[in-house]
Amino acid sequence: MISISMTAKERHAAAALAGIFGVRMLGMFMILPVFALYAEHLADVTPLLIGVAIGIYGLTQALLQIPFGMASDRLGRKPVIVAGLLLFAAGSVVAALADSIHGVIIGRALQGAGAVAAAVMALVADLTREEHRTKAMAFIGMSIGLSFVVAMVLGPVLNQWFGVPGIFWLTAVLALGGIALLLLAVPNPPHTQRHRDAEPVAGQFGRILCDGQLLRLDFGILTLHMVLTASFVVVPLVLRDIGFAPARHWLLYLPVMVLAITLAIPFIIVAEKKHKLKQVLLGAIAALALAMLGMGVLGESLGAMALWLLLFFTAFNLLEATLPSLVSKFAPADARGTAMGVYSSSQFIGAFIGGTVGGGLHGLYGLYSVFLFAAAALGLWWLAALGMRQPRYLASHLLKVGTMAPSQAAMLSGELMAVRGVAEAVVNGEEGVAYLKVDSQQLDRTALERYSLPES
């Protein structure tokens, strides 16, 4: 029988790893609402270099997260994660000590080089059974979302207490705390193996990069984080220039973030439950473009900026929730990890492009030009998303079937496809796992369980 609930050990491991992921992202996000104001006083500063400093972590993260994940297959999960967190802490210290914009850029690049995301996901997969892996991954996703919300409010508060250098020092301490949590609270996996549902596989990149539906989603997450990063190169400066003191910025971000999450939830439910993902996606992109256009044309008062920021974060939260769901639905059953790896790298590349382009436009054409650029980029994404197919509303499902020869695996794939509710089945005989896409409402679970190995 397939167990319905996670064991205490699985819940403990998932929560601890979500905590490690969350504190790392908290440290990364906290400077977003405050750095542009702080950086004006650094040596050698230009608007372009401010943008590079904000976004450079995305470039090194995008370049190194997949190699880090693959290295963890050979060197072990925990050593690679510890090395990544040490790099992240070192980058935070470099940025804290820097008195020039170039020093901060080096520090931020080092922060991004501690790219442990793929290795953490792989460790989660090692420590959870196949049928519960999606729940464990959801813990990680929630920790990232919560970190972003907390960081947008906490960043301005901490900036008033001990400044941006103090935030960087705190970030270094959080990274070291993450190492302690990893070593003391996360159990060692009984064995390490590659999990196609949770981490990239080298031989699958060609297939993923040639899939037009997945490429639309990769372009989407790149654009979303490009727009976010570009906007926050200038949003703190706009708020200051319209007379809203930086010490009070958190008083705007707190209600905006809480309301935005509240407003996004009904749309997320409609998207999934009513099978309206594409329609909700197009509406959210349009709302985001409207928010950017509003900031660029009508963003010269506090009331207007509050309204546009509320629309922005409502649409942003909605897209952050729906895009990964769409990737999972469009990805081949046995290549979800690779698809998510490319998607995640696209997100970080978008952050780098957004910071760099946002800083450059600010320097050349002024603050409000950044918002107009963002609105135009979102218009291109809307056109690309318009051609996306309606997704199949199928869930990913893993089944432990035991190792077997390729011929047996092929035969079993055919048998699984005959089970009511199974739309796609790929059996990897070497791993002893069947990767399935299933219609949860139609699935004959009793018939499927006959193929599952009993728990050891």
Side-chain angles (χ1 to χ4, degrees):
M1 288 285 292
I2 297 175
S3 174
I4 295 174
S5 60
M6 299 173 72
T7 65
K9 185 176 180 180
E10 286 174 323
R11 290 194 299 271
H12 181 78
L17 288 168
I20 292 168
F21 213 116
V23 296
R24 180 182 178 277
M25 298 312 296
L26 179 66
M28 196 71 79
F29 289 141
M30 275 193 297
I31 74 153
L32 196 60
V34 297
F35 184 75
L37 296 163
Y38 162 76
E40 289 181 325
H41 308 290
L42 292 171
D44 307 319
V45 73
T46 67
L48 173 61
L49 291 178
I50 291 174
V52 171
I54 291 174
I56 188 68
Y57 83 92
L59 179 62
T60 49
Q61 176 102 353
L63 291 174
L64 293 174
Q65 71 157 346
I66 290 176
F68 261 62
M70 291 180 172
S72 75
D73 290 333
R74 299 190 305 272
L75 304 176
R77 311 296 189 204
K78 286 190 175 181
V80 168
I81 295 171
V82 168
L85 290 173
L86 285 173
L87 266 177
F88 183 76
S92 301
V93 172
V94 169
L97 294 173
D99 57 6
S100 74
I101 191 67
H102 296 102
V104 175
I105 289 172
I106 292 169
R108 290 283 284 172
L110 276 172
Q111 282 185 319
V116 298
V120 169
M121 292 297 191
L123 183 53
V124 170
D126 286 338
L127 293 170
T128 54
R129 290 163 295 165
E130 290 81 1
E131 62 266 28
H132 299 301
R133 203 160 290 152
T134 301
K135 299 174 191 174
M137 298 300 178
F139 279 134
I140 304 290
M142 287 188 290
S143 76
I144 297 171
L146 180 62
S147 295
F148 179 75
V149 172
V150 172
M152 290 300 298
V153 177
L154 196 56
V157 173
L158 295 179
N159 183 46
Q160 290 306 304
W161 289 352
F162 41 66
V164 170
I167 293 176
F168 281 127
W169 281 114
L170 176 61
T171 299
V173 172
L174 289 174
L176 297 177
I179 293 174
L181 186 62
L182 175 71
L183 297 178
L184 299 176
V186 178
N188 292 316
H191 61 275
T192 296
Q193 68 180 69
R194 182 164 295 169
H195 307 273
R196 293 169 183 263
D197 61 315
E199 54 184 314
V201 177
Q204 294 180 337
F205 285 110
R207 178 166 52 145
I208 296 302
L209 293 172
C210 290
D211 187 310
Q213 305 306 314
L214 290 173
L215 285 177
R216 282 181 172 87
L217 299 172
D218 295 335
F219 177 68
I221 194 63
L222 183 150
T223 304
L224 183 63
H225 280 261
M226 177 180 74
V227 166
L228 173 70
T229 311
S231 299
F232 276 86
V233 172
V234 294
V235 163
L237 304 175
V238 170
L239 292 175
R240 180 198 62 190
D241 290 352
I242 61 179
F244 194 51
R248 303 178 66 202
H249 284 190
W250 71 273
L251 293 171
L252 173 62
Y253 293 133
L254 177 58
V256 162
M257 297 301 290
V258 172
L259 274 174
I261 293 171
T262 305
L263 292 172
I265 288 173
F267 291 100
I268 295 169
I269 294 171
V270 167
E272 292 287 355
K273 299 296 184 183
K274 303 296 184 182
H275 291 188
K276 299 291 185 182
L277 266 170
K278 181 178 178 179
Q279 293 88 333
V280 169
L281 176 76
L282 290 169
I285 298 170
L288 204 61
L290 177 61
M292 290 292 95
L293 192 61
M295 288 187 204
V297 178
L298 300 169
E300 296 184 349
S301 72
L302 181 59
M305 282 298 292
L307 175 65
W308 298 126
L309 282 170
L310 176 60
L311 182 60
F312 175 90
F313 280 115
T314 301
F316 178 84
N317 289 328
L318 181 53
L319 290 164
E320 279 282 284
T322 54
L323 284 170
S325 176
L326 282 164
V327 173
S328 183
K329 286 174 171 59
F330 281 118
D334 63 331
R336 183 176 178 273
T338 306
M340 289 304 299
V342 173
Y343 170 87
S344 182
S345 294
S346 301
Q347 169 184 324
F348 292 119
I349 291 170
F352 171 66
I353 295 172
T356 304
V357 173
L361 288 173
H362 170 208
L364 291 171
Y365 304 111
L367 296 172
Y368 292 93
S369 68
V370 178
F371 301 128
L372 299 179
F373 158 76
L378 289 162
L380 290 176
W381 179 17
W382 190 91
L383 290 173
L386 191 63
M388 185 182 78
R389 290 199 317 262
Q390 288 285 356
R392 298 184 300 169
Y393 287 83
L394 302 173
S396 297
H397 189 88
L398 276 74
L399 206 62
K400 190 173 184 180
V401 295
T403 56
M404 61 187 71
S407 58
Q408 292 175 296
M411 187 179 301
L412 180 56
S413 293
E415 292 180 26
L416 290 169
M417 284 293 294
V419 174
R420 178 167 55 85
V422 175
E424 190 177 342
V426 179
V427 178
N428 187 293
E430 184 179 353
E431 297 175 8
V433 175
Y435 297 91
L436 311 175
K437 288 287 187 75
V438 302
D439 183 332
S440 298
Q441 295 182 341
Q442 300 294 324
L443 182 62
D444 185 344
R445 297 182 185 276
T446 302
L448 193 61
E449 286 179 9
R450 296 193 190 106
Y451 296 96
S452 176
L453 286 182
E455 294 181 24
S456 55

